[in-house]
Amino acid sequence: MKPAHIGLAVLVAALWGVNFVVIDIGLDHFPPLLFCALRFLLAALPAIFFVGRPRVAWRWVVGVGLALGVGKFGLLFVGMNAGMPAGLSSLVLQVQSVFTAVIAFAFLRERPGPVRVVGMVVALAGIAVAAVDEGGSGPLGAFALVLVAAAFWGVSNVLTRKASPEAPFAFMVWTSAVPVLPLLALSLLFEGPTRDADALASLDLPGVGAILFVALVTTLFGFSAWSRLLRRYPASTVAPYTLLVPVFGMSSASLFLAEPVSGLQWCAATLLVGGVALTTRAGRPTPTRSAAAPGVHGPPPTTREAAQPLRTSAPRTPSTATRPSPPD
């Protein structure tokens, strides 16, 4: 990668890591579901009027929008509001790579290789260590919500792989519009219209800044910049930079929110990041026999063909380990 593009990859990872601190600040001003709804509303509008509708079936737009917007981010915001630390949240969400691999195996018949399986086991060991630490110092319920959020991220990754949109930025804008109404309805149901109205009536500069950052900086800018890198370089070159997200997340949470980082958390971070690195660097999954096209049993690729980097037109959320999606 060119130095400028390395800098861009590090910048995006830093923004995604700091984003957890901004979410924590935003939760001081808004109920979590309302905050999440406003985030996607601003990410969709007015951009949706200037980008064409992605050329994919509506079921993929709706499916990804619900899994990513309501499932992942809705539960993440609720979990952080319930007491899950920002730094630890940035770390735990990285287990999405394990969920992605498992879901892809179940529904796409993509069999993970032995190195990827080892990486998944190591990453899950990191989650277990983090759970032990959180159980002794914080609410396990909030930890579980963020863990389920990571599972929904895995679901959205697989759905996005099935969709394979040709215009990933437009796909992101249109999927951002999907969760707005469900999140607003859930907010009115569980958080109450009075609480929502009070939050909007007392809107101040930090609250506006938090919404602008999570919607425009980390969602639209971060996603489009990441897509640009994935169009230019192989995913295996770009993907490892996502491992910097929890590093920036935990360090910024410690710096700006004074969140302590225990020895167990550092141990969990080492295991989880190491496991995710293995799953990311292990190469493409092997399709099972049932997933192969019937009647296609051609010879293996030549050396030149094998050396060609895989080119796709959907540089966005990953398949099992080829397309890392934005952590937030």
Side-chain angles (χ1 to χ4, degrees):
M1 292 177 64
K2 294 181 179 179
H5 294 148
I6 293 175
L8 181 61
V10 174
L11 173 62
V12 172
L15 292 174
W16 285 341
V18 173
N19 187 51
F20 289 89
V21 173
V22 179
I23 291 172
D24 191 86
I25 294 172
L27 290 172
D28 291 334
H29 299 267
F30 305 98
L33 294 173
L34 176 63
F35 184 29
C36 194
L38 294 174
R39 174 232 179 105
F40 283 104
L41 177 64
L42 191 57
L45 297 178
I48 200 170
F49 297 112
F50 299 97
V51 298
R53 185 177 73 83
R55 296 180 180 179
V56 299
W58 278 111
R59 65 180 181 275
W60 303 127
V61 176
V62 174
V64 173
L66 292 177
L68 194 65
V70 179
K72 180 205 170 183
F73 284 109
L75 290 176
L76 170 64
F77 282 29
V78 171
M80 290 182 63
N81 188 68
M84 183 69 168
L88 187 58
S89 296
S90 71
L91 176 66
V92 171
L93 275 182
Q94 297 306 309
V95 80
Q96 60 85 17
S97 64
V98 175
F99 286 116
T100 302
V102 171
I103 296 168
F105 172 72
F107 294 99
L108 303 182
R109 296 292 183 245
E110 293 181 347
R111 185 176 64 246
V115 175
R116 181 170 288 115
V117 171
V118 171
M120 291 164 60
V121 172
V122 172
L124 289 175
I127 289 297
V129 172
V132 169
D133 180 71
E134 186 66 10
S137 60
L140 267 179
F143 182 93
L145 286 172
V146 176
L147 195 60
V148 177
F152 271 105
W153 191 1
V155 171
S156 73
N157 290 341
V158 174
L159 292 177
T160 306
R161 171 168 168 75
K162 291 289 290 182
S164 297
E166 296 180 356
F169 181 79
F171 186 72
M172 184 65 183
V173 170
W174 280 78
T175 56
S176 293
V178 172
V180 174
L181 291 180
L183 286 168
L184 286 175
L186 289 171
S187 179
L188 291 173
L189 180 62
F190 292 104
E191 296 165 348
T194 301
R195 187 180 175 193
D196 287 351
D198 289 344
L200 294 174
S202 60
L203 196 62
D204 56 10
L205 189 59
V208 172
I211 295 176
L212 291 175
F213 188 90
V214 299
L216 303 183
V217 177
T218 62
T219 301
L220 295 185
F221 169 77
F223 183 81
S224 60
W226 200 253
S227 298
R228 177 187 175 191
L229 292 173
L230 286 170
R231 281 194 298 268
R232 182 177 289 266
Y233 301 102
S236 59
T237 301
V238 181
Y241 287 94
T242 62
L243 300 178
L244 294 174
V245 173
V247 175
F248 285 112
M250 296 177 71
S251 58
S252 61
S254 177
L255 178 63
F256 296 110
L257 302 178
E259 287 185 1
V261 182
S262 67
L264 278 179
Q265 286 186 10
W266 283 119
C267 179
T270 301
L271 289 170
L272 185 53
V273 171
V276 171
L278 285 174
T279 62
T280 302
R281 300 289 289 181
R284 290 184 59 80
T286 304
T288 60
R289 183 177 296 273
S290 61
V296 178
H297 301 287
T302 64
T303 303
R304 173 173 293 193
E305 291 170 339
Q308 295 289 337
L310 180 67
R311 295 181 182 273
T312 69
S313 58
R316 20 81 315 262
T317 51
S319 65
T320 29
T322 61
R323 295 290 190 202
S325 67
D328 281 350

